[in-house]
Amino acid sequence: SIENSDESKTSITVAIMAGTYYETGVEFDERDSSKSTSVAYAAYGDGEVILCGGIILSSADFSPVDGETAKRLSSNAKDKVKMIDLKKYGLTKSDYGKIKATGGFNTEEYYDNAAAENPCELFFNDKRMTVARYPNDSYITVGKVSDIGDCYEPNAPGPTDESWLERRNQRGGTFAIDEDAYNRVKSWQNTNDLWAFGYFYWDWADMSTPIKSINDDKTITTEYCSKYGFKEGGYYYFFNVLEELDIPGEYYIDRDDGILYFYPPDENENSKILLSTSNENIISITEKAYNITIGGLTLQGTRNDALMVAGENCKIVNCAIKNAAECGINVNGKNNLVENCEVTFIGKDAIMLSGGSEEGFIYGNNTVTNNSLHDYGEIQKTYIAGVNISGIGNTVSHNEIYNAPHMGIYYMGNENVMEYNYIHDVVLQSSDAGAIYTGYSYSTYGNVVRYNCIADIGSSDFTPSGIYFDDNSSGQTAYGNVLINIPGYAFLIGGGRDNMIENNLVINAGKQIIYDDRAYDGYQNDGWYAKNCKTPDSRLWQLMNEAKEFNASIGHKYDGIERMHQDYEREEDEGFAVNPSGSSLKNNIIISRKNKVGEIAKAVNKYSVAENNVIGGGNMGFLLMHDLNYGLEDITVQNNFVDTSKKFINSYKLDKNVRWSSHSKRNLVVRNNYTSLNSK
């Protein structure tokens, strides 16, 4: 018990010797910590300290596949696929689990007998392997939809059905499948546990479902409904199909016989093959713990979160977090720090930040700084982020965030600061999303997005935006950001009030900046957003009332929310509160072939300020190349960044005169500490 130790000590270190410890469910509470003494649980000496929530499978225990099983494999794969009897490792069905629905919008919770926990997963040299699927690296297009299913928000068309939330075992959907795919599917055996994963309506709403039936009319029927229905042109793939185990990195588990089939990426007998079996957090720091440091550890291989922090004044430093099915690090305490960690190969969010509760609201004051966060969102593809923030007063700074299907940073709450992050190669599988994103609230005032570099996002099929304030988000501030090679909008401001977008640099965005007036247009002109604001009980007015209650609970702190409700109650101008008022869009520099700021709604120009934005191409010293690479001539940019006390990239000293030296994108290397190489 730490509490019974010598309290005169300012710190205590519990040294952990190098080695691999097959331990999960490690819990620290008040007995392992002290309010007056810092206690570190840290790696000691040479070598790696690994806490592992799985088992290592020996290459020697794998054998070739033969008999009837070999006949089910393709001719190219049958000599490459290996098999191993998991029962030899003492594993049972509970250890590898049932397949569980995935995706940010899956509907599994509304069905009886659904899996309660994530299944085990296979990792090869730390990389997550793929359950055998078809197609291997693309999607099938949803054909003609004959039944959209029992969905919450029918888009074909229809009103939202609130009773849906109370029902059980809703009807799935039925849609056509093309003849080639249909013939392939009909050839598969044992399709009683066949699944499909896809974006069945929106490209921001992923889900998976068992397949209920493969029908003679060349349609398939899903077991689970899609929350938004099914749409012709949506896309999906099948998985958990032994016959489709045909490329390196795929595997299949026969859950009845306990046999794992695997097509290894290589034949190196020293490769590490890990099967995650634990459904516990590897380490949990409870809400009764204080001043704990976890230092220099590697946590890997769990069907849950790798590390959960609910305590106060705790530090996670110099750790490697990987191979978790849920979150890498889940912080829901207060005044905690995550620093200098690598979080990778994670099923959902790399890091989640929330906070302890005071007076019904969440005050975090947590900090995430100088981390490498990449290859997350490997199971849930949408509404996951490198850092997912909620609560008040959190800081996310100096992180490199990359290689993910959806957002770099997603945030809600108030007075969160996101600064000096390098975010690239994110939002690879969605268009209606942003590298930094927030939305759906009139109460999240006081957040600041500044001095971030966002570059090279999206992919050939998807055109996301850089910084996205969705659906009337209000009270947001963004300045000093550099956005490079953004296929959608550099900034997408979806209505809202009191937003400040100033002194940003945009280079080569597909659509520059948009600030729309969706609520104003919906209310005044019956625009597409009308259903959210035309009646007193509609979504927009509910959000405004929630904002008013929130602001009252914290002493009427935000003047913008007070003004909003003064406008709400103006009898002489009904609906005035939905006007995009009080915002500032100015002093931004936009370098593009398209000689315009973007798309600024008339109501924004009427009720807010949009001015002094500089647009240009080669005439500003930028050399826009045909291949969309770019260079810079010597140029002095006046007053571009407003915080004169900070540095963003080593060669860009942020004072009143920013001197840019000639360099090309290909020669610019940005690390966590923001050092620019090959620049003067």
Side-chain angles (χ1 to χ4, degrees), residues 320-494:
I321 310 293
K322 52 192 174 184
N323 306 158
E326 294 283 328
C327 299
I329 303 175
N330 189 343
V331 180
N332 56 30
K334 295 184 287 186
N335 304 317
N336 298 299
L337 171 69
V338 180
E339 183 175 25
N340 201 33
C341 295
E342 181 179 24
V343 184
T344 184
F345 306 123
I346 302 298
K348 295 185 179 179
D349 304 276
I351 297 177
M352 291 193 71
L353 286 184
S354 53
S357 179
E358 292 181 14
E359 299 177 359
F361 295 97
I362 299 174
Y363 293 80
N365 298 318
N366 298 297
T367 298
V368 172
T369 187
N370 202 41
N371 302 283
S372 176
L373 313 174
H374 62 95
D375 295 276
Y376 55 89
E378 292 194 319
I379 297 176
Q380 180 175 319
K381 303 294 186 180
T382 64
Y383 285 87
I384 50 81
V387 185
N388 188 330
I389 310 168
S390 61
I392 297 174
N394 299 292
T395 299
V396 178
S397 67
H398 297 282
N399 303 285
E400 183 178 15
I401 303 173
Y402 63 99
N403 200 27
H406 219 224
M407 304 170 209
I409 297 175
Y410 172 74
Y411 71 93
M412 295 292 289
N414 303 86
E415 298 175 25
N416 298 297
V417 176
M418 293 137 276
E419 61 183 5
Y420 302 102
N421 299 288
Y422 176 36
I423 303 172
H424 62 96
D425 298 287
V426 297
V427 208
L428 298 176
Q429 296 182 31
S430 186
S431 291
D432 190 8
I436 297 179
Y437 178 94
T438 190
Y440 325 116
S441 178
Y442 274 112
S443 63
T444 53
Y445 273 66
N447 297 297
V448 177
V449 180
R450 63 187 181 189
Y451 307 128
N452 301 283
C453 179
I454 301 173
D456 301 308
I457 66 173
S459 63
S460 59
D461 296 323
F462 300 102
T463 56
S465 297
I467 297 175
Y468 193 161
F469 301 154
D470 199 4
D471 275 0
N472 304 295
S473 291
S474 298
Q476 310 304 305
T477 295
Y479 62 85
N481 299 284
V482 179
L483 298 97
I484 305 169
N485 296 338
I486 309 299
Y489 293 100
F491 287 86
L492 199 165
I493 315 301

Side-chain angles (χ1 to χ4, degrees), residues 236-255:
Y236 66 99
Y237 63 79
F238 294 104
F239 69 97
N240 200 41
V241 185
L242 176 62
E243 286 83 354
E244 298 300 330
L245 206 172
D246 58 358
I247 61 171
E250 288 191 324
Y251 70 98
Y252 173 85
I253 297 176
D254 182 330
R255 285 172 161 75

Side-chain angles (χ1 to χ4, degrees), residues 595-652:
N595 190 31
K596 62 177 184 178
V597 173
E599 303 170 26
I600 311 302
K602 290 182 179 180
V604 174
N605 281 309
K606 180 178 179 180
Y607 296 105
S608 291
V609 176
E611 64 184 19
N612 199 33
N613 296 290
V614 181
I615 309 107
N619 63 322
M620 291 194 64
F622 285 81
L623 306 176
L624 294 177
M625 305 302 183
H626 291 295
D627 62 357
L628 295 184
N629 288 321
Y630 62 88
L632 288 166
E633 295 177 345
D634 287 346
I635 181 173
T636 298
V637 182
Q638 299 287 340
N639 299 314
N640 187 34
F641 298 96
V642 300
D643 186 341
T644 61
S645 65
K646 304 283 188 176
K647 290 185 179 180
F648 176 66
I649 297 177
N650 193 36
S651 62
Y652 309 161

